[in-house]
Amino acid sequence: MSDLRPKRYFTVLFPLWQVGIRAKFLDSQPYEVLDKFLERAVTECGINTVDGLATFFGLRPSVIRRLVAFLIKLGHIEMRGGEITLTTIGSRSVAMSVRYTIKHIEQELLFDSFTCSPLPKTYYSIPLPTEPLPPCEETYRQNFRPLSARFAGKPFQAKALSELAAQPDRDDFNLPKEFTDLTTTSVNTVYLPVYLVRAANEDGADTYLAFSRGANDRDVFIERLCADVPSIKHTLDVEKTNDEPDILWTKWASKNGFEPAQVLSELPNGVWRATLPNDVFTGAASKFGLPMIGSYRPFEQHFIQLWCNDARLRRRAAEERALSFLKTPQLNTRAALNEQLTYLCQQLEIDTLNADDLCVIARNRDESQAIEILDSLV
């Protein structure tokens, strides 16, 4: 993302409402032969008594009575004063030649706890902890914490369910359009682990990028919340850092075996950069690896850019990175690839590298897979 530079990241637990609902829906099954023809006789022939139906079909009245009792139980017919009439479901079943029955089902829906907006289906296939984990918990989520101990969002609003039910695209939010007569059975809090990256654009204004298991790439749902709910942004803005930047990066340099005064610098745009010797990126004993030149490394929720003053080495790093991201699905045209290469060259401060250059590099290295991908670009 050529117009953004990362400044800090947060590992947070976004509180969500997990709402249990009960609903009705029409289940479709094949008709039994006698059921179908009895209902057709009532609606098409106007035969609406047990005796009349028994005579019409040549069956004993006791058989018809059993069928009528069964269809009443299904909700297909009603009997008043000895006369049989079809219900709405019965009439629909006859018209569609499918036996519909009303069934009840229980379902869970997810809403964010700040605006009570429903979450898309993609969030339903991931595990969501039901309570924040204590900081000492030795699990992969040990660093994820609620936005703030005093920040609880809004109570669940009952109207959120009716508003979701009225949406034409409600299937996308795990509520099939076939479900009717929705009632709430439970409301619980669950948490979505999210990485939030605070980044500055070219004008210096801050924005937040979100990443979670609920999205394949950036989590635009959470990003929209951060942009629309002022209290979320305020909570993140006031969270204190462990150290001042110069102290923080001095600690980083010392921890990695570098002399802070020799490698650290703050760029005019606010990015902290570590300018390191060539051998840190090359050779068997390299600490970071060639493709890491120009990249951002996280440290105690902040970012530092790794750098090398050797322009030839930076170009080699660009070539390595360019060949590695050829497999990115979004780069399916030469124009898209050239756009990404332009940004990469700007980031590494080298002369332009384009798709034609990459073709020559791939052939010189006999990179068959890269050649195949490059030849397939339109």
Side-chain angles (χ1 to χ4, degrees), residues 315-353:
R315 182 162 185 95
R316 283 177 53 195
E319 293 171 359
E320 294 288 342
R321 287 172 63 179
L323 289 171
S324 69
F325 63 54
L326 277 177
K327 299 177 184 178
T328 306
Q330 292 85 348
L331 299 181
N332 53 8
T333 66
R334 293 179 71 86
L337 175 59
N338 281 328
E339 182 180 355
Q340 189 67 20
L341 290 173
T342 298
Y343 163 56
L344 178 62
C345 293
Q346 291 172 351
Q347 183 186 26
L348 293 177
E349 299 178 13
I350 59 172
D351 294 336
T352 301
L353 176 69

Side-chain angles (χ1 to χ4, degrees), residues 135-198:
C136 61
E137 185 83 6
E138 291 299 327
T139 71
Y140 76 98
R141 292 194 302 265
Q142 63 179 338
N143 294 321
F144 286 91
R145 302 181 185 181
L147 288 174
S148 169
R150 66 182 186 279
F151 190 75
K154 294 182 178 179
F156 178 68
Q157 305 293 314
K159 66 176 183 179
L161 180 58
S162 57
E163 289 174 352
L164 173 58
Q167 291 184 201
D169 61 345
R170 67 187 217 174
D171 273 348
D172 297 336
F173 300 92
N174 209 41
L175 184 61
K177 60 180 179 296
E178 295 82 7
F179 289 7
T180 61
D181 298 332
L182 309 178
T183 57
T184 301
T185 59
S186 64
V187 178
N188 298 302
T189 302
V190 294
Y191 295 89
L192 175 68
V194 178
Y195 285 98
L196 289 176
V197 177
R198 180 190 291 160

Side-chain angles (χ1 to χ4, degrees), residues 97-160:
S97 293
V98 175
R99 191 176 75 184
Y100 290 109
T101 56
I102 295 177
K103 290 195 173 181
H104 293 83
I105 191 169
E106 293 188 349
Q107 178 96 334
E108 286 184 345
L109 299 174
L110 294 172
F111 298 81
D112 82 82
S113 66
F114 307 107
T115 66
C116 283
S117 298
L119 273 72
K121 275 184 180 179
T122 52
Y123 294 87
Y124 287 82
S125 59
I126 60 177
L128 299 172
T130 56
E131 56 185 47
L133 297 175
C136 61
E137 185 83 6
E138 291 299 327
T139 71
Y140 76 98
R141 292 194 302 265
Q142 63 179 338
N143 294 321
F144 286 91
R145 302 181 185 181
L147 288 174
S148 169
R150 66 182 186 279
F151 190 75
K154 294 182 178 179
F156 178 68
Q157 305 293 314
K159 66 176 183 179

